[in-house]
Amino acid sequence: MLFQFITDYLKHRLTAKSRHGTHSPFVYKLADEVIYDFTDKSEYKNIEEQRKKLFNDDSIITVTDLGAGSHLNKNRTKKVSQIAKNALKSPRLAKLIYRLAKNTNPKSAIELGTCLGITTAYLATTSAETEVITIEGCSQTAEVAKKNFDDLNLENIELHVGNFDLILPDIIAKQPSLDFVYIDGNHRKDATLNYFNWCLPKINEDSLLIFDDIYWSEGMKEAWAEIKNHPDVTVTVDLFWIGLVYFKKGQAKEHFKLKF
């Protein structure tokens, strides 16, 4: 599985373009102003300091994994520092999620897969007016995330603990519209397609759905292909680590691969 993942990555690097190889004005602007904006921002500092604390946290928790698990470590009892090093999104990717959310300016943002809460914190920091709703399958992991939110004084996060399949439909039903959804959990084809299809009735022209680990497995690659081909989807951006899905009316259907 790891060999295939590396092979997919190398293929992606060979076929993906930079912003200058993009003929779509929308995607070029997105790449130029959001994806490739690597300038440092003051909002990053406190969250990255919190990440460092997690790297040094040797407390042990019992992990309940309701999804496809980890390629690296399947032990149920883990140190928080171990989870932080293996499971947290890298600073580079977490900051990109922040910029994408900032650019979308959602009234609410939904995240599937809180983990230790670092990416959640980035979402919550985009605006105090944005309600961030996040779901974590493991209660002890969620407790660590909650402590991180408290340490960062983030009050616009609603944390749910339990099975995505049971919790997400109710959350979607209560939302008038879905502006921003980040799906980083389960990593199974059928589940990923279910989450996508559940979201569809509430999407709008400015909605952004982000799918994490689209090259995780053959099943995830198949799910990503089906999502791209859905008639409601107009633009997708494949950054290898994540896939961006847009629903712009009047936009020609196009799929892009960008280096990141």
Side-chain angles (χ1 to χ4, degrees):
M1 183 178 288
L2 186 58
F3 174 78
Q4 184 60 54
F5 185 79
I6 293 170
T7 301
D8 287 336
Y9 175 74
L10 293 174
K11 287 180 180 177
H12 189 277
R13 293 295 294 180
L14 290 171
T15 57
K17 301 181 183 298
S18 68
R19 79 195 86 182
H20 300 297
T22 302
H23 58 270
S24 162
F26 167 70
V27 176
Y28 180 89
K29 182 179 172 66
L30 180 72
D32 190 53
E33 297 181 3
V34 181
I35 295 173
Y36 296 133
D37 175 13
F38 297 121
T39 58
D40 199 21
K41 304 184 191 305
S42 59
E43 294 90 338
Y44 298 163
K45 182 179 179 182
N46 288 342
I47 299 175
E48 288 307 315
E49 287 296 325
Q50 198 68 23
R51 183 196 297 269
K52 290 177 184 176
K53 293 178 184 177
L54 292 171
F55 282 169
N56 294 311
D57 186 344
D58 288 333
S59 57
I60 295 174
I61 64 173
T62 299
V63 176
T64 303
D65 192 341
L66 301 177
S70 167
H71 286 330
L72 298 174
N73 191 323
K74 297 184 181 295
N75 294 332
R76 292 192 66 221
T77 301
K78 300 179 182 180
K79 289 182 179 180
V80 170
S81 58
Q82 183 182 22
I83 298 170
K85 291 169 185 174
N86 292 339
L88 287 180
K89 289 293 165 278
S90 68
R92 180 181 171 90
L93 193 55
K95 291 171 185 177
L96 172 60
I97 300 296
Y98 166 89
R99 296 194 300 272
L100 289 165
K102 190 83 171 175
N103 183 64
T104 306
N105 191 28
K107 292 181 180 178
S108 65
I110 296 174
E111 176 189 44
L112 274 68
T114 315
C115 193
L116 302 178
I118 292 298
T119 305
T120 322
Y122 270 109
L123 290 173
T125 305
T126 58
S127 170
E129 303 304 313
T130 297
E131 178 190 25
V132 177
I133 304 167
T134 185
I135 309 172
E136 172 53 43
C138 172
S139 61
Q140 293 193 22
T141 305
E143 288 177 11
V144 178
K146 178 63 168 62
K147 183 179 183 303
N148 289 327
F149 303 153
D150 292 342
D151 288 350
L152 291 166
N153 297 313
L154 296 171
E155 299 180 350
N156 56 328
I157 298 173
E158 181 181 303
L159 174 60
H160 297 259
V161 180
N163 191 310
F164 297 168
D165 294 355
L166 301 177
I167 296 173
L168 182 60
D170 287 340
I171 289 174
I172 291 173
K174 293 175 183 176
Q175 299 298 310
S177 181
L178 296 179
D179 302 321
F180 185 99
V181 181
Y182 176 40
I183 297 172
D184 179 20
N186 200 314
H187 297 116
R188 292 188 176 102
K189 176 183 177 180
D190 290 346
T192 299
L193 290 173
N194 282 341
Y195 305 150
F196 171 72
N197 287 316
W198 293 345
C199 289
L200 284 178
K202 294 291 183 79
I203 60 99
N204 59 69
E205 187 176 359
D206 297 318
S207 296
L208 169 58
L209 304 188
I210 302 177
F211 292 87
D212 199 87
D213 291 322
I214 55 177
Y215 289 89
W216 177 273
S217 63
E218 288 304 312
M220 284 300 293
K221 288 188 282 186
E222 291 169 5
W224 176 241
E226 287 193 32
I227 290 166
K228 287 167 59 179
N229 289 328
H230 193 280
D232 289 349
V233 172
T234 54
V235 175
T236 66
V237 181
D238 175 349
L239 298 171
F240 186 79
W241 310 106
I242 59 175
L244 314 181
V245 180
Y246 291 94
F247 306 84
K248 301 289 184 184
K249 291 181 181 177
Q251 179 89 29
K253 192 177 186 72
E254 292 183 283
H255 306 299
F256 298 88
K257 282 185 180 181
L258 296 182
K259 291 182 174 70
F260 183 75

